[in-house]
């Protein structure tokens, strides 16, 4: 972040973007107010300016006496040269010459000078007159946001304006108390050491720099690198106004437009969710039970009060699946969808659907967060995404967590009553969950891959028989509908796509994986019913609903497939009301412990639904 300095004749002060600098007298020539913009090429880290501005006694102890003296000497010398001199100049040309001399004595190069006479604009690097329409749009989009300096250019492109206009808006929000500048990596609020202010990471990397020690964060690199040389702008709302926005919706019925009537089980769960006093509630629902629709009444209640709602999930396929459903249920609410595949990064709205990585760009922005599939990868890997969701929730806000397969930590939070619990054991079409069938199969993998349960022992004749058995299974399932063929590894996708094309030449076979560049278009075609068999990794174990879907899990005994993963994959079958019947086949050399636990898990869900009278048989 470069030290961007602006002299504003309206406020009669000199400030930088971010806003820490000494005041200076107004430069006037022939009675006309002038405005200067200059940029010093030496990067003055905002974290060091924070240290100088804080004036705390322990700065010297924490940063070191020598470092503090160095900061003070540089800043003090700079102010001493510019302040008195600028007050005596009588023309813009003399002011520019003064700045150049001061920059030369400080060892800095002055490479940008711009001034404005009587409202006429110079090079356009700094816009003097605010644009009400642009600023209003930016205020809506950046509500509850935190913006790194490296993201300003992209934000400007999304709003079709100049970068300097974005800087001007951000500085105006700071001046009027609606925003705050801070070092992207700076001192912890409590305790010793440094932390990343965007993601909350405290294990930052230290390195030597020109102004002293520098620090970098490696956890939120997916959104761009953060270091102590970067600056973070954060929206700051008055405490009294948080959650008290006025709504233009007179009644909940004007907010929510349910596309279909809820089942008895869904209605019961929805009422329990609305009455729950807990700040965090787990909705434990069977796969395909319609847990998303159960939350709609609670979402509508929050939106009707003029508050903001976030629907978050770890995987973008889940977000792309839920966004149209949210649009159909809340047609009159301003909405946005944010994921790694969406063209926008800074869209706003009262109802936001976003991947948990995109949630890192929010800070205390939402009164209600609905977190889907909280036990799914990558949300379960480390604390980064958990911190992102926690910091996006406003103080006093509520969180609803949805999953069909809660892990031990979540169940412990429920048992200790830290979380509330709402159970939904049956699907809305009142049919039981399909129970997986194990088919013993030792088909070897090609291309040097490890075989299913080892290489075949019966030779080519036995493997040919197993291939024929697999062909019969896939013929039968694909005749009923789309068959999802799950494999444990990315390398198996192309391998089994070719194998199934030769085994079933009259079927349309395709496949995809996490980093497939054509992943989005292939999944769209899958939803449209263009394929008979779709080979995939665990990217489709959650968050996708297909009509007449059948499921085959190849190498179901693979260590990668735990019981929750197997339950989720099995849950892709028989989800639609029109076609509730589906089959699930586990292909494996032996019945693993995870396979047995997944089967018991599904049987227990069906038994609970029968006891509650939620399924027909």
């Amino acid at each position: 972040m470069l030290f961007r300095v602006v002299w504003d004749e309206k406020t009669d002060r000199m400030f930088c973007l971010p806003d820490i600098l000494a005041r200076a007298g107004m430069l006037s020539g022939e009675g006309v107010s002038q405005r200067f913009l200059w940029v010093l090429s030496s990067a003055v880290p905002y974290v060091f300016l924070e240290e100088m501005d804080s004036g705390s006694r322990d700065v010297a102890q924490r940063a070191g006496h020598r470092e503090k003296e160095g900061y003070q000497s540089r800043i003090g010398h700079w102010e001493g040269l510019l302040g008195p001199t600028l007050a005596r100049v009588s023309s813009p040309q003399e002011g520019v010459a003064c700045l150049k001399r001061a920059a030369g004595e400080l060892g800095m190069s002055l490479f940008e000078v711009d001034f404005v006479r009587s409202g006429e604009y110079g090079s356009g690097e700094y816009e003097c007159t605010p644009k009400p329409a642009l600023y209003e749009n930016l205020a809506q989009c950046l509500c509850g946001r935190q913006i790194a300096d490296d993201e300003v250019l992209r934000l400007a492109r999304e709003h079709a304006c100049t970068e300097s206009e974005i800087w001007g808006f951000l500085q105006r929000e700071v001046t009027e108390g609606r925003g705050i500048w801070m070092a992207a990596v700076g001192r912890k609020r409590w305790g010793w050491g440094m932390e990343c202010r965007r993601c909350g990471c405290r294990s930052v990397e230290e390195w030597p720099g020109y102004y002293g020690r520098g620090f970098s964060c490696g956890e939120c690199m997916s959104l761009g690198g953060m270091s102590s040389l970067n600056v973070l702008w954060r929206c700051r709302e008055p405490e009294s106004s948080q959650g008290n926005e006025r709504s233009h919706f007179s009644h909940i019925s004007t907010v929510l437009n349910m596309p279909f009537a809820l089942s008895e089980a869904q209605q019961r769960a929805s009422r329990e969710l609305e009455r729950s006093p807990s700040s965090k509630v787990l909705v434990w629902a069977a796969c395909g039970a319609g847990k998303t629709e159960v939350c709609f009444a609670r979402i509508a209640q929050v939106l009707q009060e003029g508050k903001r709602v976030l629907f978050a999930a770890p995987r973008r396929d889940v977000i792309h699946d839920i966004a149209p459903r949210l649009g159909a249920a809340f047609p009159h609410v301003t909405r946005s969808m944010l994921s790694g595949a969406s063209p926008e990064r800074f869209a706003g709205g009262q109802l936001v659907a976003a991947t948990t990585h995109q949630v890192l760009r929010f800070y205390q922005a939402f009164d209600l967060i609905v977190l889907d599939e909280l036990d799914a990868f990558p949300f379960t890997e480390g604390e980064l995404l958990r911190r992102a969701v926690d910091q996006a929730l406003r103080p006093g806000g509520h969180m609803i967590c949805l999953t069909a397969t809660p892990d031990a930590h979540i169940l412990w939070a429920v048992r200790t009553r830290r979380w509330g619990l709402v159970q939904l054991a049956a699907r809305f079409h009142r049919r039981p969950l399909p129970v997986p069938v194990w088919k013993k199969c030792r088909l070897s993998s090609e291309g040097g891959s490890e075989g299913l349960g080892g290489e075949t022992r019966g030779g080519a004749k036995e493997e040919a028989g197993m291939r024929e058995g697999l062909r019969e299974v896939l013929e039968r399932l694909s005749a009923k509908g789309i068959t999802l063929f799950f494999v444990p590894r990315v390398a198996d996708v192309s391998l089994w796509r070719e194998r199934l094309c030769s085994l079933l030449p009259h079927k349309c076979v395709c496949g995809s994986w996490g980093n497939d560049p054509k992943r989005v278009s292939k999944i769209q075609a899958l939803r449209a019913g263009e394929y008979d068999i779709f080979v995939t990794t665990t990217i489709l174990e959650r968050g996708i609903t297909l009509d007449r879907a059948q499921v085959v899990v190849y190498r179901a005994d693979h260590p990668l497939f735990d019981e929750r993963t197997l339950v989720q994959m099995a849950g892709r079958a028989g989800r639609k009301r029109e076609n509730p019947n589906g089959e699930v086949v586990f292909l494996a050399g032996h019945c693993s412990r995870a396979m047995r636990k997944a089967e018991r898990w599904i049987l227990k869900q069906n038994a609970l639904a029968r006891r509650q009278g939620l399924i027909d048989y």
Side-chain angles (χ1 to χ4, degrees):
M1 172 61 186
L2 295 180
F3 204 123
R4 301 167 183 249
V5 185
V6 176
W7 183 8
D8 189 352
E9 76 276 4
K10 292 183 179 179
T11 59
D12 189 18
R13 62 185 292 233
M14 187 165 55
F15 61 89
C16 72
L17 302 175
D19 179 27
I20 290 185
L21 251 188
R23 296 177 177 271
M26 180 174 63
L27 171 64
S28 61
E30 300 177 357
V32 180
S33 296
Q34 308 292 337
R35 176 176 295 183
F36 280 81
L37 167 68
W38 66 93
V39 181
L40 302 177
S41 61
S42 177
V44 181
Y46 193 68
V47 63
F48 303 138
L49 298 178
E50 279 186 350
E51 297 284 358
M52 294 300 100
D53 189 59
S54 64
S56 59
R57 289 186 175 182
D58 60 342
V59 167
Q61 297 177 357
R62 291 188 295 174
H65 288 281
R66 184 172 301 176
E67 291 181 6
K68 182 184 179 183
E69 291 174 0
Y71 307 153
Q72 290 176 331
S73 175
R74 292 175 186 275
I75 301 300
H77 186 42
W78 185 80
E79 292 176 355
L81 284 172
L82 291 185
T85 308
L86 285 176
R88 294 194 299 268
V89 297
S90 58
S91 69
Q93 292 74 17
E94 186 179 348
V96 171
C98 168
L99 294 175
K100 288 182 178 180
R101 287 196 303 270
E105 292 190 29
L106 290 173
M108 300 178 178
S109 59
L110 187 70
F111 63 86
E112 181 85 35
V113 176
D114 180 29
F115 60 91
V116 178
R117 182 187 299 271
S118 301
E120 299 175 1
Y121 301 107
S123 63
E125 286 299 319
Y126 183 78
E127 189 67 72
C128 296
T129 305
K131 297 183 176 180
L134 172 63
Y135 279 14
E136 182 179 356
N137 189 21
L138 286 172
Q140 293 176 356
C141 293
L142 299 185
C143 178
R145 289 276 192 166
Q146 46 187 11
I147 307 295
D149 52 2
D150 291 342
E151 297 174 318
V152 169
L153 179 57
R154 176 160 189 165
L155 179 60
R157 290 173 177 172
E158 285 191 14
H159 289 271
C161 63
T162 64
E163 187 179 3
S164 58
E165 287 173 334
I166 301 295
W167 283 110
F169 168 78
L170 297 180
Q171 179 59 38
R172 189 199 72 166
E173 296 296 286
V174 172
T175 303
E176 298 181 2
R178 294 188 296 269
I180 185 173
W181 293 114
M182 61 180 65
V185 178
R187 301 279 175 191
K188 297 177 184 177
R189 178 176 297 182
W190 308 109
W192 299 80
M194 308 289 282
E195 68 177 357
C196 176
R197 268 79 177 270
R198 179 167 69 181
C199 72
C201 172
R202 296 190 173 186
S203 56
V204 294
E205 180 182 357
E206 182 179 345
W207 41 269
Y210 179 74
Y211 283 88
R213 292 174 297 171
F215 301 88
S216 297
C217 174
E219 286 202 8
C220 54
M221 287 290 292
S222 59
L223 300 184
M226 284 282 96
S227 75
S228 53
L229 297 182
N230 291 104
V231 177
L232 193 68
W233 178 89
R234 179 178 289 172
C235 179
R236 182 173 62 181
E237 298 184 23
E239 292 292 334
S240 59
S241 67
Q242 288 191 0
N244 293 325
E245 299 86 350
R246 302 305 303 170
S247 172
H248 62 276
F249 299 111
S250 59
H251 193 267
I252 290 182
S253 60
T254 61
V255 183
L256 176 60
N257 178 29
M258 282 297 295
F260 54 82
L262 297 180
S263 66
E264 177 187 352
Q266 287 176 307
Q267 291 178 10
R268 180 188 306 174
S270 180
R271 289 193 296 269
E272 291 180 10
L273 191 58
E274 290 185 76
R275 293 194 298 262
S276 176
S278 302
S279 59
K280 284 190 176 182
V281 180
L282 170 66
V283 178
W284 185 2
C287 290
K291 60 183 181 295
T292 303
E293 286 73 15
V294 165
C295 303
F296 282 0
R298 183 74 179 97
I299 293 174
Q301 182 182 16
V302 175
L303 294 175
Q304 196 272 334
E305 294 173 357
K307 300 177 181 179
R308 301 183 71 197
V309 177
L310 168 69
F311 193 102
R315 299 183 181 179
R316 67 186 185 188
D317 295 309
V318 177
I319 295 301
H320 290 178
D321 180 75
I322 192 61
R325 294 156 64 186
L326 292 175
F330 303 96
H332 306 297
V333 177
T334 55
R335 304 176 308 277
S336 62
M337 184 189 73
L338 305 172
S339 74
S342 60
E344 294 182 328
R345 290 291 184 273
F346 304 100
Q350 198 177 356
L351 176 58
V352 178
T355 58
T356 47
H357 279 90
Q358 298 300 319
V359 178
L360 282 165
R361 291 191 169 99
F362 291 94
Y363 183 80
Q364 296 184 2
F366 302 99
D367 302 276
L368 173 65
I369 294 180
V370 181
L371 177 59
D372 198 5
E373 309 294 359
L374 76 160
D375 62 315
F377 178 86
F379 192 79
T380 54
E381 296 297 311
E383 296 293 327
L384 172 66
L385 300 181
R386 297 182 185 180
R387 292 196 305 266
V389 173
D390 289 339
Q391 77 174 11
L393 187 66
R394 278 179 174 172
H398 292 78
M399 187 180 298
I400 301 173
C401 300
L402 314 177
T403 184
T405 52
D407 59 26
H409 294 89
I410 301 171
L411 295 177
W412 177 82
V414 171
R415 285 195 296 269
T416 56
R417 298 189 178 183
R418 296 171 57 194
W419 289 22
L421 175 64
V422 174
Q423 282 192 279
L424 184 60
R427 290 178 170 177
F428 54 89
H429 52 56
R430 300 184 64 85
R431 296 294 181 89
L433 302 173
V435 180
V437 175
W438 170 41
K439 182 175 179 60
K440 191 172 184 178
C441 183
R442 292 184 177 274
L443 281 173
S444 62
S445 297
E446 299 173 350
S449 301
E450 184 178 313
L452 181 92
E455 293 295 328
T456 56
R457 299 178 181 176
K461 184 176 181 180
E462 181 180 349
E463 184 163 345
M466 291 183 179
R467 287 176 182 271
E468 182 62 24
L470 176 61
R471 187 189 66 79
E472 293 176 0
V473 170
L474 292 177
E475 284 277 14
R476 176 172 55 83
L477 294 182
S478 59
K480 294 182 178 182
I482 299 171
T483 300
L484 293 176
F485 193 91
F486 288 96
V487 295
R489 304 176 308 170
V490 172
D492 292 328
V493 175
S494 300
L495 171 69
W496 273 97
R497 181 183 177 277
E498 296 176 1
R499 180 179 284 188
L500 295 179
C501 283
S502 61
L503 193 64
L504 303 166
H506 56 288
K507 299 290 184 180
C508 183
V509 182
C510 191
S512 185
W513 59 96
N515 293 327
D516 183 3
K518 298 182 179 179
R519 170 181 169 182
V520 175
S521 60
K522 288 180 180 178
I523 293 178
Q524 289 176 348
L526 174 65
R527 295 180 189 276
E530 297 182 12
Y531 305 127
D532 298 309
I533 302 174
F534 197 81
V535 185
T536 180
T537 58
T538 54
I539 60 169
L540 294 185
E541 68 169 325
R542 303 167 186 259
I544 187 169
T545 299
L546 301 172
D547 190 20
R548 301 184 301 118
Q550 317 295 315
V551 173
V552 174
V553 183
Y554 167 67
R555 297 190 69 180
D557 56 351
H558 193 279
L560 180 66
F561 295 151
D562 60 14
E563 66 272 15
R564 292 193 301 276
T565 301
L566 294 173
V567 168
Q568 289 285 356
M569 290 189 291
R572 299 310 101 195
R575 296 170 67 94
K576 286 286 189 177
R577 186 190 303 268
E578 298 77 13
N579 298 285
N581 298 317
E583 290 190 49
V584 181
V585 178
F586 287 168
L587 302 178
H590 71 285
C591 188
S592 66
R593 180 183 179 185
M595 292 166 60
R596 292 192 296 270
K597 292 179 70 173
E599 182 183 2
R600 288 198 298 269
W601 193 312
I602 294 172
L603 290 173
K604 285 182 179 179
Q605 289 278 5
N606 288 338
L608 177 61
R610 287 191 183 95
R611 289 196 301 270
Q612 296 177 346
L614 300 178
I615 58 178
D616 295 328
Y617 62 91

